[in-house]
Amino acid sequence: MAKNKKEALLKTPTGINGLDEITNGGFPKGRPVLICGSAGCGKTLFATQFLVKGITEYNEPGVFMSFEESASDLTQNFNSLGFDFEKLKADKKLYVDHVRIERSEIEETGEYDLEGLFIRLNYAIDTVGAKRVVLDTLESLFSGMENMALLRSEIRRLFTWLKEKGVTAIITGERGESSLTRQGLEEYVSDCVILLDFRVIEQIATRRLRIVKYRGSTHGTNEYPFIIDEDGISVLPVTSLKLDYKSSTEIISTGLAALDNAFSTGGIYCGSSTLLTGQAGTSKTILAAHFAMSSYKRKESTLYFSFEESPDQLLRNMATIGIDLKQAIKSKLLHIQASRPSLQGLEMHLLVFNKLLEELKPRTVIIDPISSLITIGNNNEVRAMLVRLMDTLKMKQINALFTSLTHDGPSEYNNPTVDAVSSLADTWIDLKNEERNNERVRSLLIVKSRGMGHSNNQQDFTITDKGINFTTSNKK
Amino acid sequence: MKEKEKEKAKGKLIIEGKLILKLYVSGMSQKSMKAIENIKLLCDEHLKGSFELEIIDIYKNPKLASEKHIVFSPSLLKILPLPKKTLVGTLSDTKKVLKGLGITIE
């Protein structure tokens, strides 16, 4: 940034995970920012986080002027983010002013101005030396008042005043019917406008954020999913991932010697992604377990997402065929994360993925199966999520294995997750279970494998009490 | 005696008990001055002896603005008699002011 000779807009870090990336550094410093959205979309939390993180991480004191919530609600808001509201106040880092207006007691008897508010705000800012200010929800001032024109011109004056004061201010506003905010505040805040949205699609709630306007700065224009959890708001930037990851030439085993031999390199590339497709009962999970065990043998940690079986069930089933996942778990090299896909929205899943990746730093990730994610989002969303996930894994050079359930149909792989992943996956193995000579025969075929030669033969195998056993010999 | 007759001609202003008022203004702004002028006119002419008026400049007492929940300026607070009322603005709308202060005209 320092190299940039052009007069760049100074930015203030937002304190919201992921948002600085989208806004190329944060909010415009010393300017008002409008956050709008319908009730319950997270505006107040957004503003609170901006303020609290400003204090705790950037040493910028703040003023919270609340027009709606009572002091106790506010305390709860701060505490929910794990910050001690009273302590911040006592340390003179935070000044809270609750603007309470009793409509029933007010009578308008002529022209007036908002000088009372200005004085309070000025006093608050000067008391703590505030760099950040939150006005939540300013528009409440309008309710019940008759002289709208007068209030509007006063609000306009307020924004100008805030700029002169040099504070970075967040003003929250409730979404109006035909405009972003009820009173059209977006007309006055011309620097930065952010829209929050809360939608329920097929019973699953998703939160989204969009930068409507950001004068003088480049910014991402997509709708970005965001989530609210115990750490507050996190935004997931979709497009911050680039196709510039490194590619390893190191070879790792799939966990099955016979399968390794089907590749000219004697295994798959380290940090590559593998897709495993097949109908129900074609041993996808068993192959995945072998994959996990090969990672264990390399003394590398593995993160196993199981969407259909509980960890216990998975352990028991694999134990019957001689795959001892238990020892891997005991050694803390294998972590099984089991949850129903429908438990939470896609964004939440992706966030759990990312969090676990950060926490456990696995070298191998298995998702079994990705096809069940279809139940919780439309195809485009699932596809977008998988692409993001795969990119993340690639960047981190993690070995990835995805299984996907396919069905009989006009197209063999008529499954959107296969569609999404197959072109991105480096290796694609298809499993079959077909009838030949009055016998069910399991077989495996390598559909593709990038950057290496591979066997084109269908390879038959059986499942023994020592796991998968190939019955046809491999010819390289 | 003359004044009483005048009042009679306009209708008598009746209030219950003593009126306690606080007028919060912001310095010498035009609106503040107008409000002061209006309330003085009303009280001195019609409510002699039955009111108490304090004028407070919030510029000089910024903390008070927050404590007394002042947002609009000027703001006239009727402390007594209850119910409490806040009259915002220049107090030019006499009808509303009288109603707000609980003054009835006979």
Side-chain angles (χ1 to χ4, degrees), chain A residues 16 22 29 44 69 200 204 235 239-240 267 273 275 288 299 402 424 461 475:
Chain A
I16 287 153
I22 301 167
K29 197 181 178 82
T44 303
E69 304 203 31
V200 178
I204 287 162
V235 187
T239 47
S240 67
S273 49
L275 173 68
K299 300 255 181 293
F402 306 97
L424 292 168
F461 65 87
K475 284 165 211 152

Side-chain angles (χ1 to χ4, degrees), chain A residues 88-270:
Chain A
L88 291 177
K89 277 206 288 187
D91 289 351
K92 291 229 179 290
K93 294 284 184 197
L94 175 69
Y95 189 100
V96 178
D97 194 354
H98 184 223
V99 179
R100 185 179 58 94
I101 300 168
E102 288 294 336
R103 294 293 151 201
S104 55
E105 290 179 9
I106 285 189
E107 201 74 61
E108 287 170 73
T109 65
E111 288 205 352
Y112 53 89
D113 53 40
L114 289 179
E115 208 53 37
L117 189 73
F118 280 77
I119 289 168
R120 287 165 76 165
L121 203 48
N122 191 49
Y123 178 74
I125 292 171
D126 291 348
T127 303
V128 294
K131 296 272 183 286
R132 298 176 179 222
V133 168
V134 168
L135 302 174
D136 179 52
T137 308
L138 186 61
E139 279 174 309
S140 304
L141 274 184
F142 286 82
S143 76
M145 300 304 277
E146 287 160 23
N147 200 340
M148 291 288 169
L150 190 145
L151 272 175
R152 270 169 206 281
S153 76
E154 280 295 288
I155 298 284
R156 193 185 287 268
R157 188 162 75 93
L158 178 68
F159 288 146
T160 316
W161 181 84
L162 283 168
K163 269 193 213 175
E164 280 167 12
K165 199 80 187 156
V167 291
T168 310
I170 284 194
I171 292 103
T172 65
E174 195 107 320
R175 185 110 202 231
E177 267 168 36
S178 58
S179 56
L180 290 175
T181 57
R182 282 200 189 138
Q183 299 299 333
L185 289 183
E186 61 272 21
E187 281 174 43
Y188 313 139
V189 183
S190 47
D191 295 298
C192 184
V193 179
I194 290 175
L195 180 67
L196 304 184
D197 187 22
F198 184 56
R199 268 176 259 169
V200 178
I201 302 162
E202 288 171 13
Q203 287 112 43
I204 287 162
T206 48
R207 296 172 187 277
R208 272 154 222 274
L209 171 151
R210 184 162 67 91
I211 299 164
V212 180
K213 169 155 94 173
Y214 196 152
R215 187 187 274 175
S217 170
T218 54
H219 61 85
T221 47
N222 294 336
E223 272 196 319
Y224 300 94
F226 72 93
I227 65 121
I228 296 177
D229 65 2
E230 67 274 15
D231 295 328
I233 293 177
S234 310
V235 187
L236 305 165
V238 189
T239 47
S240 67
L241 302 166
K242 296 179 186 123
L243 272 175
D244 58 1
Y245 37 76
K246 287 194 190 99
S247 293
S248 171
T249 48
E250 201 187 316
I251 300 295
I252 57 163
S253 166
T254 57
L256 289 163
L259 180 57
D260 290 342
N261 285 335
F263 299 101
S264 63
T265 47
I268 56 171
Y269 285 122
C270 174

Side-chain angles (χ1 to χ4, degrees), chain A residues 337-378:
Chain A
Q337 176 77 17
S339 66
R340 283 279 172 213
S342 53
L343 184 71
Q344 51 205 8
L346 280 175
E347 278 80 36
M348 204 65 188
H349 275 295
L350 193 58
L351 207 94
V352 172
F353 284 143
N354 284 340
K355 277 197 156 176
L356 285 171
L357 289 186
E358 282 301 311
E359 245 174 74
L360 303 168
K361 302 208 185 311
R363 297 296 312 133
T364 300
V365 167
I366 296 167
I367 301 178
D368 181 31
I370 50 170
S371 41
S372 47
L373 289 171
I374 286 298
T375 54
I376 52 167
N378 68 39

Side-chain angles (χ1 to χ4, degrees), chain A residues 376-433:
Chain A
I376 52 167
N378 68 39
N379 294 351
N380 278 339
E381 286 173 330
V382 175
R383 193 191 155 90
M385 175 204 171
L386 287 170
V387 170
R388 264 147 74 193
L389 179 64
M390 287 183 80
D391 275 348
T392 310
L393 294 173
K394 276 265 166 76
M395 292 233 286
K396 292 183 190 282
Q397 296 268 298
I398 294 171
N399 312 313
L401 181 78
F402 306 97
T403 72
S404 186
L405 178 70
T406 51
H407 299 280
D408 254 341
S411 158
E412 202 173 348
Y413 312 114
N414 58 346
N415 172 329
T417 59
V418 174
D419 218 37
V421 177
S422 62
S423 58
L424 292 168
D426 298 308
T427 306
W428 179 4
I429 299 168
D430 190 43
L431 300 172
K432 269 204 170 67
N433 197 353

